[in-house]
Amino acid sequence: MHSENLVTIRTSIDCSNIKLCIQQIKYSLSSYQDLAFLIPDGWSNSDLIMIVTPIPPKFLIFFNNIQDMIAAAKTLQKRLPLDMHHKIKWYNSDMTVEYKENEVNHLILGETWGLCMMESFRMGMDIPDILLVIQWRAMCKLLTLW
């Protein structure tokens, strides 16, 4: 590497569109009621047609264990009509590559509104319209959180 062939680029890492916040858990951890804000009470297909209640923002929720991940996804699905349960899914490293690729495509296309997952979700994933990224419960590894 010769200095005459190097280019130095300085840029800010300030991302004004990214906000970090912490919320205290109000309800029993096993109820997942603190995630209920994602799917408002009484949401239905007619809301989608009438645009009375907007479609939930595209979201990712990270969990520290598979049992929590699946239970939370099922709890959120129950807040939707049965024919819309496919809008929220879970995703982990135990699933096939084909399944995971399909689910990422469904998320990108907006066919899936949210995924409950472990940290196995692909690093460097570029899905620009994800509006919420949630870490369920505190975790000890700051690097994993970031």
Side-chain angles (χ1 to χ4, degrees):
M1 293 172 65
H2 300 283
S3 61
E4 64 273 7
N5 295 330
L6 296 178
V7 175
T8 302
I9 299 173
R10 288 190 175 93
T11 183
S12 171
I13 60 168
D14 180 31
C15 297
S16 60
N17 63 328
I18 298 176
K19 310 249 184 302
L20 297 176
C21 70
I22 298 171
Q23 292 185 343
Q24 185 173 356
I25 298 288
K26 296 177 186 174
Y27 304 97
S28 158
L29 286 171
S30 62
S31 76
Y32 306 101
Q33 186 63 31
D34 287 281
L35 297 173
F37 72 93
L38 293 166
I39 310 294
D41 284 334
W43 201 96
S44 70
N45 286 347
S46 62
D47 292 334
L48 185 59
I49 295 166
M50 296 171 33
I51 320 271
V52 172
T53 303
I55 293 172
K58 195 175 286 187
F59 63 86
L60 303 176
I61 308 173
F62 288 88
F63 293 86
N64 295 330
N65 69 62
I66 290 176
Q67 294 80 17
D68 274 343
M69 175 193 66
I70 294 171
K74 287 181 177 182
T75 299
L76 290 172
Q77 287 174 338
K78 287 177 186 172
R79 298 181 65 78
L80 292 168
L82 187 60
D83 64 329
M84 297 191 81
H85 283 195
H86 67 280
K87 297 291 189 181
I88 299 171
K89 302 199 181 136
W90 58 87
Y91 178 110
N92 65 58
S93 61
D94 292 342
M95 297 171 166
T96 67
V97 171
E98 181 182 7
Y99 176 86
K100 291 188 283 187
E101 287 174 359
N102 285 336
E103 290 313 315
V104 169
N105 286 331
H106 291 304
L107 186 67
I108 289 169
L109 295 172
E111 296 166 5
T112 298
W113 294 339
L115 291 176
C116 296
M117 66 191 65
M118 306 289 287
E119 65 182 81
S120 63
F121 194 68
R122 295 187 218 164
M123 296 292 290
M125 183 64 60
D126 187 14
I127 305 174
D129 60 342
I130 292 176
L131 295 180
L132 288 171
V133 178
I134 300 167
Q135 171 63 48
W136 180 251
R137 301 178 74 172
M139 63 180 332
C140 297
K141 296 187 229 173
L142 186 58
L143 182 60
T144 301
L145 178 62
W146 192 250

